[in-house]
Amino acid sequence: MGAAMNSLDPRTPPLSLGRLGFGGAGIGNLYRAIPDGQALATVLAAWDAGIRYFDTAPHYGLGLSEQRLGAVLRDKPRDEFVISTKVGRVLEPDSGGGQDPEGFDVPATSRRVWDFSEGGIRRSIEDSLERLGLDHVDIAYLHDPDVHDLQAGISEALPVLEKLRAEGLVKAIGVGINSAEAALECVEAADLDLVMLAGRYTLLEQPDVPLLDRCLERSTGVVSVGAYNSGLLARPDVPEDAHYNYDQAPPEVLERARALAALCRDFGVELPTAALQFPLRHPAVVNVTAGATSPEQVATNAARMEAPVPGELWAALEERRA
């Protein structure tokens, strides 16, 4: 029997996510497997660091991320944390064998099936609750509509999410998306509480479309993910083999990142510290969520979020972009 979906008071005050959130892709064995004990210790380290917003998705490790996250959070007071998951893909059993072909180091015991229908979205949430071992999630994002079918996402899936919120089954709704242009279309088409924007508002690059200003006008909060641009900005010194957009960074991008690192160094700040804090400079951004696969990475992210950054550095960066 699946975990029951609680009916929540739709008049609940807006959710407080805190400045730093925990992203669950890494504990779903993104790119490489990590032991259960390490994954659980990583989530616990996030809790101990004061992080109270946790994001996951069925896509992450074919449900493994949700299972591991729930194993820790279901023992915590439910009113003390916020959890989001995503809809748009449902997991179907698959006996084909082998490993997951979509970047997660897990056995391919399931396959992802795109489903933007009301039935598919409701089933997705029920299945997520079963894996999490929780009676409700706070936020439901439509996952990657720009990858599958943006117009179907807007016309079919987003109205379903609005309906679920009106029923009180979730407190907030949004989209998890890689394209600023697609995100803007979604914001204009639906009453969204949040946009989870991946890698498109960072120290390295900012969108050419007025997405963030429009979100501010519509009271749609932006959760920034991918602040390190797939690892390019994750180290004080940018290595030759740095990744950008999940691939080898081209020479011109490496050059730009190294120039940013040098500028940060001039003000006594490490590049990843500025990268992690940068998105919060825009008033539409309500949270920066970062992934981790070890307690040490969690501690580093938490320390970077609290490290002092002089206003002169932000001014120099603004001048550089002008």
Side-chain angles (χ1 to χ4, degrees):
M1 196 65 184
M5 285 201 286
N6 250 8
S7 181
L8 302 171
D9 183 355
R11 297 180 301 278
T12 301
L15 297 167
S16 175
L17 305 183
R19 284 162 54 86
L20 181 63
F22 177 86
I27 63 166
N29 288 358
L30 180 63
Y31 303 135
R32 65 184 182 89
I34 62 172
D36 283 338
Q38 180 178 328
L40 301 185
T42 302
V43 178
L44 189 57
W47 182 273
D48 291 342
I51 293 171
R52 293 296 181 268
Y53 172 50
F54 300 85
D55 175 68
T56 184
H59 175 54
Y60 302 158
L62 296 171
L64 180 63
S65 173
E66 291 179 321
Q67 292 167 1
R68 286 172 160 176
L69 198 58
V72 175
L73 293 183
R74 59 177 168 259
D75 292 330
K76 304 299 182 184
R78 186 61 187 88
D79 60 351
E80 291 187 15
F81 65 89
V82 174
I83 188 167
S84 57
T85 193
K86 303 182 182 77
V87 301
R89 296 172 174 93
V90 294
L91 302 182
E92 298 283 1
D94 191 338
S95 58
Q99 291 294 104
D100 176 44
E102 296 200 29
F104 294 88
D105 190 359
V106 294
T109 54
S110 301
R111 59 188 175 89
R112 303 164 182 85
V113 178
W114 291 102
D115 192 338
F116 284 2
S117 70
E118 180 169 349
I121 288 171
R122 288 183 182 273
R123 178 190 155 192
S124 181
I125 292 178
E126 283 281 9
D127 290 349
S128 290
L129 293 176
E130 178 73 28
R131 288 187 289 266
L132 288 162
L134 298 173
D135 66 356
H136 69 273
V137 293
D138 301 289
I139 304 164
Y141 295 108
L142 179 62
H143 203 182
D144 294 336
D146 51 326
V147 173
H148 176 52
D149 186 334
L150 180 61
Q151 294 312 310
I154 289 172
S155 64
E156 187 175 3
L158 294 184
V160 173
L161 288 180
E162 290 178 314
K163 182 177 181 181
L164 297 186
R165 182 182 57 193
E167 293 174 5
L169 297 178
V170 294
K171 294 178 182 177
I173 62 170
V175 291
I177 205 161
N178 293 281
S179 162
E181 292 81 3
L184 182 59
E185 287 193 55
C186 293
V187 167
E188 297 289 7
D191 179 20
L192 302 182
D193 300 292
L194 296 163
V195 169
M196 178 170 274
L197 185 64
R200 298 282 79 81
Y201 185 67
T202 70
L203 189 65
L204 183 76
E205 61 180 280
Q206 297 86 48
D208 292 329
V209 296
L211 170 65
L212 273 71
D213 291 341
R214 190 66 179 125
C215 284
L216 198 59
E217 292 169 357
R218 291 181 62 85
S219 299
T220 299
V222 175
V223 174
S224 175
V225 296
Y228 295 141
N229 281 114
S230 303
L232 179 67
L233 309 181
R235 285 170 278 192
D237 298 303
V238 180
E240 199 65 36
D241 63 349
H243 281 73
Y244 169 70
N245 280 356
Y246 307 104
D247 207 345
Q248 171 65 42
E252 64 274 14
V253 174
L254 286 173
E255 184 178 341
R256 287 173 53 208
R258 285 171 176 158
L260 287 171
L263 182 60
C264 290
R265 201 176 298 117
D266 288 344
F267 290 89
V269 176
E270 292 188 338
L271 175 64
T273 296
L276 196 64
Q277 293 189 30
F278 170 78
L280 291 166
R281 301 283 298 163
H282 195 289
V285 177
V286 297
N287 172 273
V288 175
T289 286
T293 56
S294 71
E296 293 77 19
Q297 289 179 1
V298 169
T300 297
N301 287 337
R304 291 197 185 286
M305 183 57 84
E306 298 304 320
V309 176
E312 292 82 1
L313 172 57
W314 298 128
L317 287 164
E318 287 288 340
E319 185 177 335
R320 186 186 188 88
R321 287 195 299 274

